[in-house]
Amino acid sequence: MKKILLAGIALAAFAGQVVAADLPPRPAPVPYRAPPPAIVYYSWTGCFVGGNGGGLWVQKDWNVGTGDPSIGVNGIASGQAFGSHNANGWAAGMQVGCDYQFGGGFVIGIQADYDWTGARGNSVDAVNNAFFTTTGYRDYSQVNSLGSVTGRFGYAWDRFLGYVRGGYAWERDNYAIVNPQNFGAAIASETRGGWTVGIGGEYAFTNWISAFVEYDYYNFGTTNNRFLTGTGVLFDSTDIKEQKSIIKAGINFRWSPGPVVARY
């Protein structure tokens, strides 16, 4: 009986070896590999508010307008030049807006800004000096404030954004024609509209603070201003043409639902 049992065990062991020899080899275990680390990019999507400051350079060209009382006297003609001058100075104000980043690095946005300015300039008034045959008249320009609402489009390289912007602009001006020798002053003021285009760069130092530098060009075309004396008498009707440039730098404080995005 024992011989039969031993023979059965031996036969079973032999059969197991034969079956094992016919099976394919087991594959080597695959080592565990952790996923690659996430690459973190800054996102420009969100809104902002901030302040700015810089300098502006204004070109003012004064010409005799239709209805000027000096037309036809001493050879004065409509369109004749009073003179031209630069009204240069400082600018400081604030801006607010929102941006949206899409397609990788493309950014679109909208911005409104408002600046107070101290730009002033003056020049010799050739028309009134000829009309009154004197030499004391001068024309004065003062730009008090400047604002715009613009769209902007740019491309972001992580935390640096290069952009162009353009849109509607307006400003508030005061004018005066003065001759201290024999006349007080005739004054005029206006709020004039125009357009602006600009280019700039902005860098995000943190997820919430960015700084920018930009150049903007403004064109306000030609508008007519009626200069009145202190008693309300029309002294001059003047067409004033204006162009200006401004360079400014500023800081924005940003907020958004997700200041950073991760890509694998």
Side-chain angles (χ1 to χ4, degrees), residues 42-50 95-102 106-112 152 156 161 202 204 207-210 252-261:
Y42 184 80
S43 173
W44 290 88
T45 297
C47 296
F48 59 88
V49 63
Q95 65 280 340
V96 61
C98 292
D99 292 316
Y100 176 71
Q101 186 168 345
F102 66 98
F106 294 100
V107 177
I108 58 173
I110 186 170
Q111 176 177 311
R152 74 173 181 172
L161 172 66
E202 187 167 0
N207 292 342
W208 317 110
I209 300 176
S210 63
N252 285 323
F253 299 92
R254 295 181 163 271
W255 67 93
S256 66
V260 295
V261 295

Side-chain angles (χ1 to χ4, degrees), residues 74-109:
N74 297 334
I76 306 299
S78 177
Q80 185 172 334
F82 280 84
S84 299
H85 54 262
N86 294 324
N88 305 329
W90 56 267
M94 59 185 299
Q95 65 280 340
V96 61
C98 292
D99 292 316
Y100 176 71
Q101 186 168 345
F102 66 98
F106 294 100
V107 177
I108 58 173

Side-chain angles (χ1 to χ4, degrees), residues 57-61 192 217-221 241-245:
W57 296 264
V58 184
Q59 175 69 33
K60 294 278 193 179
D61 300 317
R192 61 195 296 162
Y217 169 80
Y218 293 82
N219 191 310
F220 288 98
K241 180 181 179 180
E242 180 186 325
Q243 303 175 72
K244 77 155 50 73
S245 295

Side-chain angles (χ1 to χ4, degrees), residues 25-33:
R26 291 184 178 180
V30 178
Y32 172 76
R33 294 182 180 179

Side-chain angles (χ1 to χ4, degrees), residues 78-145:
S78 177
Q80 185 172 334
F82 280 84
S84 299
H85 54 262
N86 294 324
N88 305 329
W90 56 267
M94 59 185 299
Q95 65 280 340
V96 61
C98 292
D99 292 316
Y100 176 71
Q101 186 168 345
F102 66 98
F106 294 100
V107 177
I108 58 173
I110 186 170
Q111 176 177 311
D113 56 68
Y114 186 86
D115 288 274
W116 294 268
T117 80
R120 296 176 175 86
N122 66 88
S123 59
V124 173
D125 186 325
V127 170
N128 282 302
N129 286 329
F131 181 82
F132 292 102
T133 62
T134 183
T135 58
Y137 284 93
R138 298 189 70 87
D139 303 323
Y140 290 81
S141 298
Q142 177 177 326
V143 181
N144 294 321
S145 59

